[in-house]
Amino acid sequence: MRENRKIRVFLLDDHEVVRRGVHELLSVEGDIEVVGEAGTAADALVRIPATRPDVAVLDVRLPDGSGVEVCREIRSRDDTVGCLMLTSFADDEALFAAVVAGASGYLLKAVRGDELLSAVRAVAAGKSLLDPVATARVRERMRDGGGGAEDDERLTRLTAQERRILELIGEGLTNRQIGGQLHLAEKTIKNYVSSLLAKLGMQRRSQAAAYVARMQAGKQ
């Protein structure tokens, strides 16, 4: 598949020591090339499109946002970039949000070097490293979060098109992918998403995805 080309990797972490360590770990590998780094979400959103990596290794918690938000934004622009989330904390909500954002993997920073290398190569090859058991646990937790009459009432505020887009968000599709399915421009989908989030009283796409998960769980 990529016999004659190195795997291009971008690193996002607000701790320089961590970035340097991961950079050195990856750079000694003959098949991997680190093409860029950033310490903030804002920087990453500028540099990742410019460097065109195969894999973006993203810290989840950042001073100006979240690596999950970076993943969602980058994947909505270019879904050929594989996102590997790297975090110090085992967090079910962040894991679920990463799944919804289109991440291919979610690793703790306590991971061994050889495991990180294997993960980068797997994501570059188009594989998913997300543990089905872990994601099932997340969905179970979302189910326990509730649902019910209030949710049903909020759903009635949406148009038919907004409901369809909400369902596709729940399936983990990016704005670009939703636009492809519905034959609408990506910018149009973005406007629909903003509208449906406002009607549901939500600020983030991950909240909408969790809402869908609760509704689906309630029907089982």
Side-chain angles (χ1 to χ4, degrees):
M1 286 173 27
R2 55 174 76 247
E3 299 139 0
N4 301 318
R5 188 167 75 82
K6 290 186 177 183
I7 299 168
R8 296 168 60 81
V9 178
F10 189 96
L11 305 177
L12 169 60
D13 197 294
D14 60 325
H15 293 101
E16 183 186 356
V17 172
V18 174
R19 288 202 314 274
R20 187 174 296 178
V22 176
H23 188 141
E24 290 178 2
L25 174 71
L26 297 178
S27 294
V28 297
E29 299 297 309
D31 62 332
I32 297 174
E33 176 186 8
V34 178
V35 295
E37 298 181 19
T40 65
D43 239 2
L45 289 172
V46 172
R47 295 182 183 181
I48 291 176
T51 53
R52 301 181 63 82
D54 301 301
V55 179
V57 180
L58 308 174
D59 189 9
V60 171
R61 298 189 180 187
L62 298 165
D64 63 336
S66 162
V68 172
E69 294 166 2
V70 173
C71 173
R72 181 186 307 113
E73 182 64 26
I74 291 301
R75 297 264 313 158
S76 71
R77 298 182 197 173
D78 181 0
D79 58 14
T80 66
V81 180
C83 293
L84 179 60
M85 312 309 299
L86 199 59
T87 181
S88 302
F89 308 95
D91 182 335
D92 281 356
E93 283 80 6
L95 171 56
F96 186 82
V99 173
V100 173
S104 298
Y106 190 96
L107 297 176
L108 292 177
K109 288 183 179 177
V111 67
R112 296 199 312 269
D114 59 338
E115 292 175 328
L116 178 58
L117 291 170
S118 296
V120 166
R121 292 183 176 115
V123 171
K127 298 176 182 175
S128 174
L129 303 177
L130 294 164
D131 181 0
V133 175
T135 53
R137 188 178 74 246
V138 171
R139 289 184 181 277
E140 184 66 33
R141 183 166 177 175
M142 294 299 180
R143 178 186 309 177
D144 293 342
E150 182 187 345
D151 288 342
D152 292 340
E153 182 183 339
R154 284 194 292 173
L155 199 58
T156 62
R157 302 172 192 166
L158 304 185
T159 66
Q161 187 75 291
E162 288 170 343
R163 289 194 195 193
R164 177 62 182 143
I165 290 170
L166 178 62
E167 290 172 9
L168 295 173
I169 289 173
E171 292 174 18
L173 273 63
T174 65
N175 286 351
R176 176 181 295 179
Q177 292 168 330
I178 294 172
Q181 282 209 18
L182 301 182
H183 307 291
L184 293 171
E186 185 178 344
K187 185 175 181 180
T188 302
I189 299 300
K190 188 174 182 179
N191 291 337
Y192 271 120
V193 172
S194 296
S195 173
L196 71 87
L197 288 178
K199 289 180 180 180
L200 294 173
M202 299 173 183
Q203 286 77 45
R204 297 185 301 277
R205 192 188 188 97
S206 58
Q207 292 175 300
Y211 175 70
V212 174
R214 286 198 302 271
M215 289 195 299
Q216 291 173 342
K219 294 174 183 176
Q220 293 173 359

